[in-house]
Amino acid sequence: MASLLSTSSSSSSLHYFNVKTNESSLRRILHRNNVLVIVAQKKAKKTRKIILKEDVAELGKKGQLMDVKAGFYRNFLLPMGKAQLVTPTLLKEMRIEEERIEAEKKRVKEEAQQLALIFETVGAFKVKRKGGKGKQIFGTVTAQDLTDIIKAQLQRDVDKRIVSLPEIRETGEYVAELKLHPEVSAKVRLNVYAN
């Protein structure tokens, strides 16, 4: 249903018509009278383009751009300080920040690749343990032992949590893995011998 508002040129009164939005009936009314027609349409949805300042449950993560209803923004997000309206300046700042973060990630990955190359070109690290019968050694070789050897030989600090070692209880050659970056790991050889 559409509401029609008509005024005639001879009178200043307003006339309201309820007419289905049928084109032929609208033409007949317009042709008969000098009529100003206002057709009421469906109410437009009002949304706001925002950026979240913090994580909001069931809505999104911090830094995410999204469209939300104007009332939700005005009544909840804005008073709680959880979001702000998007402006061209804010978009430019976000783009610059994303580029800085990407450059930092790339730099960290390249450093990890260089460190992996250094570890893999060193050859084998020698680990000395007190020997027992045959190939047996007393104790095991741990991740902390490997980090201490790397620090002594290469003057590099390595966190023992990134070291993955097989269980070493006898002499021989082993391979340890250092997870330097989520996408970069280095394989290091260990020569364990008894003294």
Side-chain angles (χ1 to χ4, degrees):
M1 294 287 252
S3 295
L4 295 178
L5 172 68
S6 72
T7 61
S8 70
S9 57
S10 60
S11 72
S12 62
S13 65
L14 296 175
H15 302 283
Y16 292 96
F17 300 100
N18 282 331
V19 178
K20 290 184 179 176
T21 55
N22 186 342
E23 191 174 332
S24 62
S25 60
L26 284 175
R27 281 187 184 153
R28 269 187 271 128
I29 294 170
L30 291 173
H31 187 11
R32 259 189 276 147
N33 303 332
N34 220 356
V35 177
L36 170 68
V37 176
I38 299 173
V39 178
Q41 295 180 353
K42 191 175 183 180
K43 188 175 181 180
K45 289 185 179 180
K46 295 180 182 176
T47 61
R48 298 287 183 256
K49 192 172 266 315
I50 61 155
I51 181 169
L52 294 175
K53 289 182 178 179
E54 58 186 66
D55 292 353
V56 179
E58 299 180 16
L59 186 62
K61 301 275 184 198
K62 179 180 179 179
Q64 192 174 355
L65 286 172
M66 56 183 29
D67 290 327
V68 296
K69 290 186 177 181
F72 182 61
Y73 170 73
R74 182 180 58 247
N75 296 324
F76 177 70
L77 296 173
L78 182 62
M80 299 293 273
K82 294 180 182 269
Q84 70 184 65
L85 288 175
V86 174
T87 62
T89 307
L90 186 62
L91 284 175
K92 185 177 179 182
E93 288 174 3
M94 282 179 54
R95 199 174 310 112
I96 291 170
E97 182 67 16
E98 285 175 3
E99 289 171 0
R100 187 192 64 77
I101 289 170
E102 286 300 318
E104 179 67 19
K105 285 181 181 178
K106 186 177 178 183
R107 185 190 62 78
V108 167
K109 184 177 176 182
E110 287 173 355
E111 283 182 5
Q113 288 171 335
Q114 290 174 352
L115 195 57
L117 186 63
I118 290 171
F119 285 141
E120 289 174 353
T121 57
V122 164
F125 291 101
K126 292 183 169 81
V127 181
K128 194 185 329 178
R129 285 286 180 262
K130 189 172 181 183
K133 293 181 181 178
K135 292 178 117 186
Q136 294 286 332
I137 58 172
F138 289 109
T140 61
V141 177
T142 63
Q144 184 63 49
D145 295 330
L146 180 58
T147 57
D148 292 341
I149 291 167
I150 291 172
K151 174 118 172 117
Q153 289 185 10
L154 300 176
Q155 289 76 39
R156 300 267 184 183
D157 285 324
V158 176
D159 189 1
K160 70 178 182 178
R161 292 175 288 187
I162 66 168
V163 176
S164 159
L165 276 175
E167 190 171 310
I168 303 174
R169 293 184 180 270
E170 31 182 70
T171 60
E173 188 167 307
Y174 298 93
V175 176
E177 185 176 7
L178 302 172
K179 192 80 170 156
L180 302 169
H181 185 269
E183 300 171 14
V184 179
S185 61
K187 298 213 182 293
V188 176
R189 289 184 298 136
L190 292 171
N191 280 334
V192 180
Y193 63 95
N195 59 351

